[in-house]
Amino acid sequence: MDTLTRMRAFIDVVEAEGFSAAARKIGRSKALLSKYVRELEDELGALLLNRTTRQFSMTEAGHTYYRRASEIVREVDSLADAVRESSGDVRGRIKLSAPRTFADAPIGQSLIDFAKQHPDIVLDIQLDDRFVDLVEEGFDLAVRISRLENSSLIARRLAPFSIRLCASPELIAKHGMPTRPQDLGHMPCIVDTNGRGLNNWAFKGDNNDQLSVAVSGPIEVNSPMAARAAALSGLGFCILPDFIAAPDLKSGQLVTVLDDRILSGGGIFAVYPHRRYLPAKVRVFVDFLVQWFRTREVA
């Protein structure tokens, strides 16, 4: 049995967080995976995994080996992808991280459309609103909705993105229209705890600097969709992504507030690690997303 096969078995077990889960995911027996990992440990002369009937964890050596082994396996797969691409055969699995907001909104249809158009590529979508570590956690790429910060990652812009400060007409009739960001400190607000500022909302200041306003209200929730529902019910002012707020703004169920004080410069990005060989399947996927967004109006 070759080292690469044992290495893949170890990576599968780590990423599935257990032998049983890995066996179910890849269609191999738990006993076989356990055998491969044990042989790998014997070959290395080091314990990689702590195993008990109830717990599963990596040793310090296991963490080190996983990081490097993941990079090696990705490079091997990327090289194979490059050869397949030259023959017109693009296939395999793409491990994608994306925020729940992306998948739940109409733009999530882009993922479905890709899967329909490329049946030989398995799209393994992990929905998580945190910023995952692509290299450490073994992701091929991620979709991120934000203002892009300095990073060791490569980013490709898919579409512009902005936020809207919204409220229902009923709420404004009851509490009044804020004329400056500081007014929100005394008004009910709905806080989406996925936002980096949490209860401190950022706006343009009087001199085009950045102004932070502490807000509070009846609901704090880690879902823009739930925050939208609360805003529609008149519970408070709410910051929403434009592609979520757009239908309600068009219908008049929500109205925008303080438009000239909203920070701009955000976008929807596909991000992926620097690699010697970018896998053909990843390149095909990113190119598809770029074209998909180019032909559609996001908000």
Side-chain angles (χ1 to χ4, degrees):
M1 183 56 59
D2 65 279
T3 299
L4 185 60
T5 299
R6 298 186 184 114
M7 191 182 293
R8 288 186 188 277
F10 170 70
I11 292 170
D12 286 335
V13 170
V14 170
E15 293 184 349
E17 299 183 347
F19 287 90
S20 297
R24 287 192 299 270
K25 182 175 181 179
I26 67 174
R28 289 189 171 183
S29 71
K30 177 182 175 182
L32 183 61
L33 290 178
S34 181
K35 175 177 178 290
Y36 287 166
V37 173
R38 188 171 59 253
E39 289 175 347
L40 180 62
E41 291 175 326
D42 291 342
E43 180 183 327
L44 296 170
L47 184 68
L48 301 177
L49 299 176
N50 293 312
R51 309 168 180 81
T52 68
T53 55
R54 295 182 178 274
Q55 292 183 329
F56 167 89
S57 63
M58 279 190 288
T59 64
E60 183 176 350
H63 280 286
T64 301
Y65 190 82
Y66 172 74
R67 285 194 295 271
R68 292 291 291 118
S70 297
E71 293 172 5
I72 291 168
V73 169
R74 281 196 293 269
E75 286 293 329
V76 170
D77 290 343
S78 297
L79 183 56
D81 281 340
V83 174
R84 293 192 190 102
E85 184 181 21
S86 66
S87 64
D89 182 19
V90 180
R91 60 179 63 241
R93 176 182 293 270
I94 296 175
K95 188 176 179 183
L96 168 71
S97 172
R100 291 183 178 87
T101 306
F102 182 90
D104 291 342
I107 55 177
Q109 182 65 35
S110 60
L111 306 181
I112 306 302
D113 290 346
F114 175 82
K116 289 171 63 178
Q117 188 168 319
H118 296 275
D120 290 331
I121 297 178
V122 177
L123 201 54
D124 180 1
I125 306 167
Q126 305 288 321
L127 300 179
D128 200 325
D129 291 318
R130 68 185 176 91
F131 274 23
V132 301
D133 185 319
L134 297 186
V135 175
E136 180 75 19
E137 299 178 53
F139 285 93
D140 292 298
L141 77 162
V143 172
R144 291 186 175 165
I145 306 171
S146 66
R147 285 188 298 276
L148 199 63
E149 299 177 350
N150 291 334
S151 171
S152 61
L153 303 174
I154 300 173
R156 191 165 176 189
R157 188 182 178 96
L158 303 177
F161 161 74
S162 59
I163 58 174
R164 299 284 185 265
L165 177 60
C166 307
S168 68
E170 294 77 17
L171 180 84
I172 292 174
K174 181 177 180 180
H175 292 277
M177 176 72 77
T179 58
R180 56 180 192 150
Q182 295 89 328
D183 294 339
L184 295 169
H186 310 289
M187 294 177 166
C189 294
I190 301 158
V191 176
D192 177 2
T193 54
N194 283 324
R196 292 190 176 185
L198 298 177
N199 294 70
N200 294 291
W201 289 357
F203 297 91
K204 290 180 185 175
D206 293 333
N207 299 313
N208 279 330
D209 52 349
Q210 186 166 310
L211 171 69
S212 180
V213 177
V215 300
S216 62
I219 287 183
E220 297 182 3
V221 61
N222 64 337
S223 164
M225 300 302 290
R228 166 185 170 269
L232 288 169
S233 297
L235 287 178
F237 294 89
C238 182
I239 290 178
L240 293 173
D242 49 6
F243 55 84
I244 289 180
D248 302 313
L249 296 175
K250 186 175 182 179
S251 69
Q253 292 179 281
L254 293 177
V255 296
T256 59
V257 178
L258 298 175
D259 291 338
D260 60 336
R261 294 300 191 99
I262 301 299
L263 295 174
S264 58
I268 303 174
F269 297 91
V271 298
Y272 44 91
H274 287 272
R275 290 184 190 149
R276 184 178 178 187
Y277 302 105
L278 178 66
K281 60 190 177 184
V282 175
R283 186 183 305 109
V284 167
F285 178 57
V286 174
D287 287 346
F288 177 90
L289 290 181
V290 169
Q291 185 60 33
W292 193 94
F293 279 93
R294 185 176 293 158
T295 58
R296 287 163 178 81
E297 185 177 349
V298 174

